[in-house]
Amino acid sequence: MPVLQRDVTREVTTVRPPEFSRSERMRVLVAAAAGSVVVGYAAVAAVLALVSATATYADFSTSGVLSAAAPAWLAAHHVPLRFDAGQLGVLPLLPTALLMLLVGRTAAGTADRLGLYEPLQARGVVLSIAGAHAVVGGAIALVMGDGVVRATPAVAFFGCAAVSALAATIGVARRCGLVEMVFDKLDPVALHGLRAGFMALFALVSAGALAVAAGLAASWPRTSELFAEAGPSVGVGLGVFLLCLGYLPNAIIAGFSYVVGAGFSLGGVEVSPMRFVGGVVPPVPLLAAMPENSFVWSPVVLVGAALIGVFVGWTCRKVSDRPSSRIRAVLVAAITAAVGSLVLAATAGGRLASGAFDPVTVPAGLLALMVAVWVLVPGALVAWLAGSRTKAVAVAETEFVEPDYDEEAADPDVVFEDDELTEQFEQLEVVDSDEFEVEEDLEDDDYYDEDEYDEDYEEEDPDVDDVEEDVVDEDEEDEPVDEGAEEEALDDEEDLDAEFDEMLGMEPEEDLEGKPER
C-alpha cells in the first residue's frame, strides 16, 4: 500500500489562499500596524497604573498614567531618555523583549491572514508596522518637547523603526520563506557552523544566567534586606520587584560577560575573573548577585567557556572528512557567536545619568573577541583531532586481478531444440552498438497515434502511393494465379484459427466478426 510522506527538510504550501483586493490588503496592514502600537502602549500603561495604584504616596489619575506611559513606551523601544541630571541609556531589556514578541506575533498573524508565502511579500507587513512605530515614536518625542523627560525625535523615530522592523521580520521569516532563502545560499559546512554558533551563544548566555542565580542564592540574606529597606508598602515592593525583573536580562548578559572573562563595570566598580575593583553600588536587590571581594578561584569560571568551545568542536567533527572543512565550520560558529554577543553587549549597558554609577558598561568588543577565542581555539583542536580521516591507498601496491574466464569452455555455437530456430539464429549478424541508435518505444507513448501519422504521410506523398499501387497491379497481372495454392493457404489459416480458438477456450463456430471492437 503506498504511503504518502512529507518532506521534513522544507514545508511546501500546496494550497494557495484566496487573493485580496488592494483595499482589503491595505485595511489588514493598517489594522496590524495600528494594533501593535495601541496594544503595546496599553500594556505599558497598565503596568504603570498597577504600580501607581498600589503605591502609598502616589496620586493615581488616568491622564497622569497615559502621559507617563509615553516615555515608558519609548524606553520599551530602547530609546534613550534625557533628564536634567543626565541621560538614561541603560534601559531594561525585558520590556523590549516583550514588545518584540508582541510585534512578531502581530506580523505573523497578518502574514497568515493575507496568505503570504514568498520572501518579497513580507515587505508590506514589515514596512507598515515599522512605519507606524516610527511615526508614533517621533510624534511622542516632539510632543514631550523640553519637559522633565525628553527624547531626541530623530533617535526616537529610527529607534522605534529598527526595533519594530526587526521584530516583524523575525515574525514573518518562516512563513514567508526568509529562513529557507538564507539557508539555501549556504553550503552544508557553513550551515552546520551557523547552527553550532547559535548553540554556543545560547550555552554561554545560559552559563551567565546560572552565575547570576548562584550569586543571588549565595547572597539571599542581603537581597531580602534590600527589599525590606525599599519600603513597607506593597506598591513600593511591587515597583522594586518589577524594576529588578525588567533589568534581569541585563544582569544575565553581564554574567555572561563575566564567565567569558570580559567582565563588566558599574561606574568605578569593575568585576571580572582576572580583575576586581570594589566600590559602592546602588541599593537594588538584583545587584546583590555581584561579588563583594576578589577570590582566588574566580578564574575557574573560564573552564565553562572552554568546555562550550570543546562542545562546538565535537559537534563539527563529522561535518566533513577534510580537516580544513571542519575548521571552517568551527570558524563560522565562532563568528556567529561573536556577532551575537556583540549585539547583546551593546544593548545591555549605557549611560546612567551623571552620578557615581555612570556608566554601566559591558565591553562589547572585548566580549566578542573573547567569545570568538573560546569557541575557535578549543573547537578547532577538537574538530581537527576527533574528526575522521581518509586513508590514502598506495597505487603501487594495488594489483589487477584478471577474471577467471575460460575461452575454451565457452561454446560459441548456440543450439536450440528446434532446428528452424537454430538456422535463424545462425543467420543473424553481429552488429556493434555504435552502428545503430535505440529509438524510443512509440507504442507506449500516449500521445503517439500511428493512424494519424499514417494519414499525414499519405496526404504528404500521394504520388508515392499511386506509384506503389501501379507496381503492385503490374506484378499481380504478370504472375499467374494458382487456385490450388490459394485453397491450401486458406485451409492452413483455418487450421491456425482453430488451434488459436482451442487455446483460448472458444468454440470453433463462435463468430467474433459480429462483436463490437474493444
Side-chain angles (χ1 to χ4, degrees):
M1 179 179 178
V3 179
L4 296 177
Q5 296 181 353
R6 183 175 66 86
D7 187 8
V8 297
T9 59
R10 181 175 299 179
E11 200 167 330
V12 180
T13 304
T14 57
V15 180
R16 297 298 185 221
E19 296 292 337
F20 286 85
S21 63
R22 184 179 296 273
S23 60
E24 292 176 345
R25 182 183 179 85
M26 186 62 64
R27 191 185 312 115
V28 173
L29 292 177
V30 171
S36 62
V37 173
V38 172
V39 173
Y41 197 94
V44 173
V47 174
L48 294 179
L50 177 62
V51 174
S52 61
T54 55
T56 305
Y57 302 104
D59 295 332
F60 177 79
S61 64
T62 304
S63 60
V65 170
L66 292 178
S67 61
W73 188 81
L74 291 179
H77 286 80
H78 222 72
V79 176
L81 302 176
R82 292 184 289 111
F83 302 88
D84 295 335
Q87 181 180 355
L88 178 62
V90 51
L91 299 170
L93 287 177
L94 183 61
T96 305
L98 295 178
L99 179 68
M100 292 182 66
L101 178 62
L102 172 64
V103 173
R105 293 293 299 272
T106 304
T110 305
D112 289 340
R113 186 176 179 181
L114 294 177
L116 306 182
Y117 56 90
E118 293 183 357
L120 292 178
Q121 294 177 343
R123 294 179 301 178
V125 179
V126 175
L127 292 178
S128 61
I129 293 178
H133 283 253
V135 170
V136 174
I140 290 176
L142 289 174
V143 170
M144 291 168 60
D146 296 332
V148 178
V149 182
R150 300 178 296 274
T152 305
V155 176
F157 183 89
F158 290 106
C160 294
V163 172
S164 58
L166 177 61
T169 303
I170 295 173
V172 301
R174 184 169 295 277
R175 288 168 173 80
C176 294
L178 295 177
V179 177
E180 288 79 5
M181 182 183 68
V182 174
F183 285 175
D184 289 342
K185 296 183 181 299
L186 299 175
D187 61 309
V189 175
L191 183 59
H192 189 88
L194 185 66
R195 293 174 177 173
F198 280 114
M199 288 191 301
L201 182 61
F202 177 78
L204 290 172
V205 173
S206 301
L210 184 62
V212 173
L216 289 175
S219 60
W220 183 251
R222 179 56 182 166
T223 304
S224 302
E225 293 178 3
L226 292 175
F227 268 110
E229 293 176 358
S233 64
V234 178
V236 174
L238 179 61
V240 173
F241 174 76
L242 293 177
L243 178 66
C244 296
L245 188 63
Y247 279 98
L248 181 61
N250 303 63
I252 291 176
I253 295 174
F256 159 45
S257 181
Y258 178 80
V259 298
V260 169
F264 60 94
S265 63
L266 183 62
V269 179
E270 297 181 9
V271 179
S272 69
M274 309 302 295
R275 175 181 172 84
F276 180 83
V277 177
V280 181
V281 296
V284 179
L286 184 62
L287 297 179
M290 294 176 58
E292 298 180 357
N293 299 306
S294 61
F295 299 97
V296 180
W297 49 266
S298 296
V300 178
V301 297
L302 301 177
V303 177
L307 291 178
I308 293 173
V310 171
F311 172 74
V312 171
W314 185 259
T315 57
C316 296
R317 75 188 189 282
K318 295 183 179 179
V319 172
S320 175
D321 293 336
R322 300 175 58 185
S324 60
S325 298
R326 298 195 295 268
I327 293 178
R328 183 164 67 91
V330 177
L331 179 61
V332 173
I335 294 174
T336 303
V339 172
S341 61
L342 182 67
V343 174
L344 293 178
T347 57
R351 299 294 304 274
L352 187 59
S354 57
F357 311 112
D358 178 55
V360 178
T361 305
V362 178
L366 181 59
L367 176 61
L369 179 61
M370 296 297 294
V371 168
V373 170
W374 285 120
V375 174
L376 181 60
V377 175
L381 290 176
V382 173
W384 178 280
L385 299 176
S388 59
R389 299 182 180 180
T390 56
K391 297 181 179 180
V393 181
V395 181
E397 297 179 359
T398 58
E399 296 180 357
F400 178 75
V401 180
E402 297 183 356
D404 297 335
Y405 179 74
D406 191 1
E407 296 182 355
E408 297 179 356
D411 188 4
D413 298 333
V414 181
V415 180
F416 295 92
E417 295 181 359
D418 193 351
D419 296 337
E420 184 178 356
L421 294 177
T422 304
E423 294 177 359
Q424 294 178 0
F425 181 80
E426 291 177 353
Q427 294 176 359
L428 296 177
E429 297 181 359
V430 179
V431 181
D432 296 336
S433 60
D434 299 337
E435 297 181 4
F436 65 92
E437 296 180 356
V438 180
E439 298 181 355
E440 296 180 358
D441 190 3
L442 298 179
E443 295 180 359
D444 298 336
D445 193 354
D446 297 336
Y447 299 97
Y448 176 76
D449 190 356
E450 185 177 359
D451 298 336
E452 180 181 354
Y453 287 99
D454 291 342
E455 292 175 1
D456 296 341
Y457 180 76
E458 291 176 0
E459 292 176 359
E460 292 176 358
D461 300 331
D463 298 336
V464 177
D465 297 338
D466 296 340
V467 173
E468 291 179 356
E469 290 178 2
D470 296 340
V471 173
V472 173
D473 294 339
E474 291 177 0
D475 294 340
E476 291 178 356
E477 291 176 359
D478 295 340
E479 294 180 0
V481 180
D482 189 359
E483 295 180 357
E486 289 182 357
E487 290 180 358
E488 291 180 0
L490 292 174
D491 294 339
D492 295 339
E493 185 177 355
E494 290 178 359
D495 294 340
L496 290 174
D497 292 342
E499 292 179 2
F500 185 74
D501 295 341
E502 202 173 322
M503 291 172 60
L504 296 178
M506 299 171 57
E507 297 296 333
E509 64 274 4
E510 187 174 355
D511 187 11
L512 297 178
E513 294 181 358
K515 293 188 177 182
E517 296 181 358
R518 295 182 180 177

